[in-house]
Amino acid sequence: MTARIGVVTFPGSLDDRDTQRAIRLAGAEPVALWHKDKNLHQADAVVLPGGFSYGDYLRAGAISRFSPVMETVIEQAKAGLPVLGICNGFQILTEAHLLPGGMLGNDHLHFICRDQKLRVENADTAWTADYESGQEIHIPLKNMDGRYVADQHTLDELEAEGRVAFRYLDFNPNGSLNDIAGITNAAGNVVGLMPHPEHAVEPLIGSGRTDGLPFFTSILKKLVNV
């Protein structure tokens, strides 16, 4: 069985091809999905990639949430389909209410691009099983609206249930509450994070590390074992 992982392209997506390459390097088959097509074309999992979909008008991810493909993604995610949202994809997942909270502009009001140190907080999701809880990794980060916010009840719930998937270490690059870099839903099939694992899959490009590759090997093992 060759796992098929769909990558949605929205108007303004920038990292869809990079994500497809990461999927291929992990040993799965990338499937290009177009935002106007509701059909997921037999994809076993879906990635919403980074970029500036619809120019980030209104709010980052606010328009993409209503793209036709998202109707199917939302329905299937609630039924257990693994979904990963990277940067703009994370923003879309919060707008679609597949993940709680929301994203605001960076507290310093500037675009930031850097190699970011993270700690893996939850290695039990469909997308993080090839990590170990407590593991420290370096993943490239690039965003303008990366500040994760939520009300106190939601934050308490995320912390109590172990649903903070990744946390910023050494430096909080955007003012995210509780240093949150990524979260998961209760079922563990939907994960969103601001840093870009697809840019850390080969030693000669991106960060020069392969710390991001386990995202894609994790989901591959999950799908093959199902």
Side-chain angles (χ1 to χ4, degrees), residues 14-222:
L14 299 179
D15 300 297
D16 44 346
R17 296 293 182 91
D18 302 77
T19 303
Q20 290 176 27
R21 180 175 177 79
I23 289 167
R24 194 175 293 110
L25 285 171
E29 178 185 352
V31 180
L33 301 177
W34 182 237
H35 75 112
K36 286 190 175 181
D37 186 359
K38 293 184 179 181
N39 191 336
L40 300 185
H41 299 280
Q42 293 79 52
D44 302 302
V46 169
V47 180
L48 307 181
F52 300 91
S53 60
Y54 289 94
D56 281 348
Y57 290 118
L58 300 183
R59 290 183 311 277
I63 299 177
S64 295
R65 175 261 180 273
F66 293 101
S67 287
V69 72
M70 288 304 299
E71 180 179 329
T72 309
V73 169
I74 292 169
E75 176 185 348
Q76 292 300 312
K78 290 179 179 179
L81 178 76
V83 179
L84 175 65
I86 302 170
C87 195
N88 190 227
F90 185 12
Q91 295 161 342
I92 295 169
L93 289 177
T94 62
E95 291 288 339
H97 304 297
L98 287 175
L99 291 175
M103 313 302 297
L104 296 179
N106 298 340
D107 59 353
H108 47 74
L109 303 181
H110 294 285
F111 181 86
I112 189 168
C113 182
R114 56 173 278 136
D115 190 18
Q116 179 65 46
K117 188 176 182 180
L118 307 175
R119 182 171 61 239
V120 180
E121 302 282 28
N122 186 334
D124 294 325
T125 79
W127 299 93
T128 61
D130 268 358
Y131 293 109
E132 295 181 2
S133 293
Q135 183 177 348
E136 296 182 3
I137 60 177
H138 290 78
I139 302 290
L141 174 78
K142 51 177 184 174
N143 64 71
M144 181 67 188
D145 300 298
R147 177 161 51 115
Y148 180 77
V149 297
D151 60 67
Q152 192 59 52
H153 173 76
T154 298
L155 290 172
D156 291 344
E157 188 174 69
L158 290 172
E159 298 286 2
E161 296 178 1
R163 290 170 54 196
V164 175
F166 299 90
R167 210 180 302 271
Y168 296 118
L169 288 183
D170 297 343
F171 172 72
N172 186 324
N174 42 41
S176 291
L177 298 179
N178 291 21
D179 297 326
I180 290 173
I183 61 175
T184 178
N185 67 343
N189 63 302
V190 180
V191 171
L193 79 160
M194 287 309 296
H196 287 259
E198 77 280 10
H199 295 323
V201 295
E202 294 181 285
L204 295 180
I205 61 173
S207 68
R209 300 171 180 264
T210 58
D211 290 4
L213 192 58
F215 276 89
F216 307 101
T217 58
S218 292
I219 190 59
L220 176 59
K221 290 180 180 177
K222 167 71 174 177

